[in-house]
Amino acid sequence: MSSQREYAIHRAPILTPAFYGVLAVVLLGMAIVAYRYVVGIGAVSNLSNGYPWGIWLSYDVATGSAIACGGYVLAVTVYVMNNFKYHGMVRSAVLASMFGYSLAGLSVMVDIGRYWNSYSFFVPSRMNPNSALFEVALCIMAYCVVLILEYLPAVFERFADEDAKKSPKLVKFGKTWEKRFSKALFVIVAIGATLPTMHQSSLGTLYVLMGYKLDPMWQTGFLPLLFLSNAFLMGFAITAFETVLSTRLLKRPFEKEIVDLAKVIPYIVFFWLIVRLIAVTLNGGWSNAFAFTGKAIWFWLEIIMVLVPALMVIACKYARSESGIFLIGMLLLIGGGMYRIGVYNVGFNPGPEYHAYFPSLLEFLITVGFVAIEILGYMVLVKLTPVLPNLENHGHKH
């Protein structure tokens, strides 16, 4: 039965040196999180009244959720665009997205100063439905649930393929719910393709509201559109990056479908760049862009880091190789992430009375700890549930 499945469990030991190394990083990060709750947020961060949103929101939420859009863009590509050629990569992307979005939500709990009041979000009398931040929080939480539901078929398949003699009830449970979910999956996917469209654009809306506090190189009414197209860009980028990285680390054959999928990257990049440059022009940001400042350098670097890989896909044969796809994905992730951090941190200035914000060491370590959780979870679950493409169905041998 398992040999006929589209997906298969990666048969390899879980407790490896890499597992223990990543686990150590996780434990360090979570120990600092515990310390933050004991001594307060001010003792572990460089946040202030002027800069209340730091790396935990600019990276963990704004950038991290965009990096976690691999499941979103593949769902749109496979189910909306009806291109089932890439269906084999869906589960891996969904798993990465599930961890990315869940950890983005958890990192908010680290960022909130008075976290004991967080229950107020669920109290109707205290809700503010007119707030863009309310819509972001609501959609992200709903999307986390959707991603878990999209991942559950892998769990049911694992149960259904167990030995019926040893675990008859477990096998029956797996087969029953596998059939039920197969009927409801298109509805779940449809919801999953809608929610990121809403909250990714709203992440840009949040900084439209900042007005003059955001540098003209980034401030524009097009921020919702730029953030949404940036999410697509980073979704394809993480799919390329993660596909090559997982094949190398897990010693699997290169999935050549990713080469064809990467061909869409230049279209997204050029659309994003055109809107980006028009926005800078309309907002009078070019004078700042050509000034010799740290912000200007950041602006040009983010443009270059996004443009170069797009040109590589168009004109470079190296872009069709495994290492070329890896490099393209990595550059796009850096450039796309720089744009979001540029909006949330680099381009933001609340006024001369506040010292410029730069994350503390403990802020960095907490962020690294959350990233390590995602890596550790992925490493474990691909070895416990059928997530990766079944090599026997792709012409490969174990």
Side-chain angles (χ1 to χ4, degrees):
M1 180 68 175
S2 60
S3 63
Q4 299 173 357
R5 298 280 196 184
E6 184 176 6
Y7 304 97
I9 298 171
H10 179 69
R11 303 292 180 178
I14 294 177
L15 302 179
T16 62
F19 172 88
Y20 289 115
V22 178
L23 179 61
V25 177
V26 171
L27 294 176
L28 175 61
M30 295 309 100
I32 300 172
V33 169
Y35 177 71
R36 170 260 178 275
Y37 284 122
V38 172
V39 301
I41 192 171
V44 300
S45 76
N46 287 336
L47 299 175
S48 65
N49 290 336
Y51 292 93
W53 290 355
I55 190 174
W56 294 328
L57 283 180
S58 65
Y59 176 79
D60 294 20
V61 178
T63 306
S65 66
I67 292 175
C69 277
Y72 168 51
V73 298
L74 275 181
V76 172
T77 302
V78 173
Y79 297 105
V80 179
M81 306 302 293
N82 201 33
N83 197 335
F84 278 78
K85 176 181 179 180
Y86 307 109
H87 192 263
M89 295 185 287
V90 167
R91 276 195 188 168
S92 179
V94 166
L95 179 59
S97 295
M98 183 179 73
F99 279 112
Y101 266 93
S102 299
L103 294 173
L106 288 175
S107 66
V108 172
M109 293 303 299
V110 180
D111 183 82
I112 295 175
R114 298 179 180 179
Y115 55 87
W116 53 85
N117 286 330
S118 58
Y119 75 92
S120 298
F121 180 84
F122 303 97
V123 179
S125 62
R126 297 188 177 187
M127 291 180 180
N128 181 10
N130 295 320
S131 168
L133 193 57
F134 175 84
E135 190 268 341
V136 169
L138 189 64
C139 283
I140 286 181
M141 285 191 293
Y143 191 50
C144 286
V145 174
V146 169
L147 287 169
I148 293 171
L149 293 176
E150 288 183 348
Y151 169 71
L152 280 180
V155 178
F156 297 143
E157 278 188 24
R158 169 63 191 268
F159 292 159
D161 291 343
E162 287 290 315
D163 190 333
K165 294 182 179 179
K166 294 182 179 179
S167 309
K169 292 184 179 179
L170 193 63
V171 172
K172 182 180 179 181
F173 172 83
K175 289 182 177 180
T176 300
W177 281 98
E178 184 182 358
K179 290 181 180 179
R180 291 178 180 177
F181 257 70
S182 64
K183 296 177 181 179
L185 191 60
F186 275 91
V187 177
I188 296 170
V189 169
I191 297 172
T194 303
L195 291 171
T197 305
M198 298 167 63
H199 65 250
Q200 286 297 332
S201 59
S202 293
L203 284 169
T205 302
L206 291 174
Y207 270 72
V208 174
L209 303 176
M210 298 298 176
Y212 68 90
K213 294 181 180 180
L214 185 60
D215 191 283
M217 289 185 287
W218 289 277
Q219 180 59 279
T220 172
F222 292 131
L223 274 175
L225 178 59
L226 285 167
F227 265 64
L228 180 59
S229 54
N230 175 269
F232 270 93
L233 184 155
M234 296 188 71
F236 281 108
I238 189 60
T239 301
F241 181 81
E242 175 197 1
T243 298
V244 177
L245 187 62
S246 63
T247 56
R248 287 184 175 180
L249 295 180
L250 300 177
K251 298 179 181 179
R252 293 169 56 88
F254 177 49
E255 296 175 32
K256 296 182 179 180
E257 293 87 352
I258 194 64
V259 176
D260 290 332
L261 188 63
K263 292 178 181 178
V264 76
I265 288 175
Y267 296 99
I268 301 172
V269 168
F270 292 142
F271 173 81
W272 180 84
L273 274 176
I274 290 170
V275 177
R276 180 88 169 91
L277 298 180
I278 290 174
V280 175
T281 302
L282 293 177
N283 210 38
W286 287 117
S287 58
N288 288 9
F290 287 104
F292 190 72
T293 63
K295 291 182 180 181
I297 293 173
W298 186 280
F299 169 83
W300 287 111
L301 281 176
E302 73 181 36
I303 297 293
I304 292 170
M305 296 295 282
V306 169
L307 180 60
V308 168
L311 296 177
M312 287 177 62
V313 174
I314 295 173
C316 185
K317 291 183 179 179
Y318 176 66
R320 293 189 284 273
S321 67
E322 183 178 354
S323 56
I325 290 293
F326 180 82
L327 179 61
I328 287 168
M330 182 178 67
L331 291 175
L332 283 173
L333 287 175
I334 295 173
M338 286 184 69
Y339 171 69
R340 292 191 171 227
I341 293 173
V343 172
Y344 271 67
N345 290 147
V346 178
F348 181 70
N349 184 1
E353 64 271 26
Y354 297 102
H355 294 292
Y357 166 79
F358 189 82
S360 69
L361 175 60
L362 295 184
E363 284 181 85
F364 275 118
L365 291 177
I366 288 175
T367 295
V368 172
F370 277 118
V371 174
I373 293 175
E374 181 178 354
I375 296 172
L376 191 70
Y378 185 92
M379 290 170 59
V380 171
L381 289 182
V382 296
K383 298 175 183 178
L384 293 178
T385 57
V387 171
L388 299 175
N390 190 339
L391 297 181
E392 294 182 12
N393 295 340
H394 285 72
H396 300 296
K397 295 181 178 180
H398 290 288

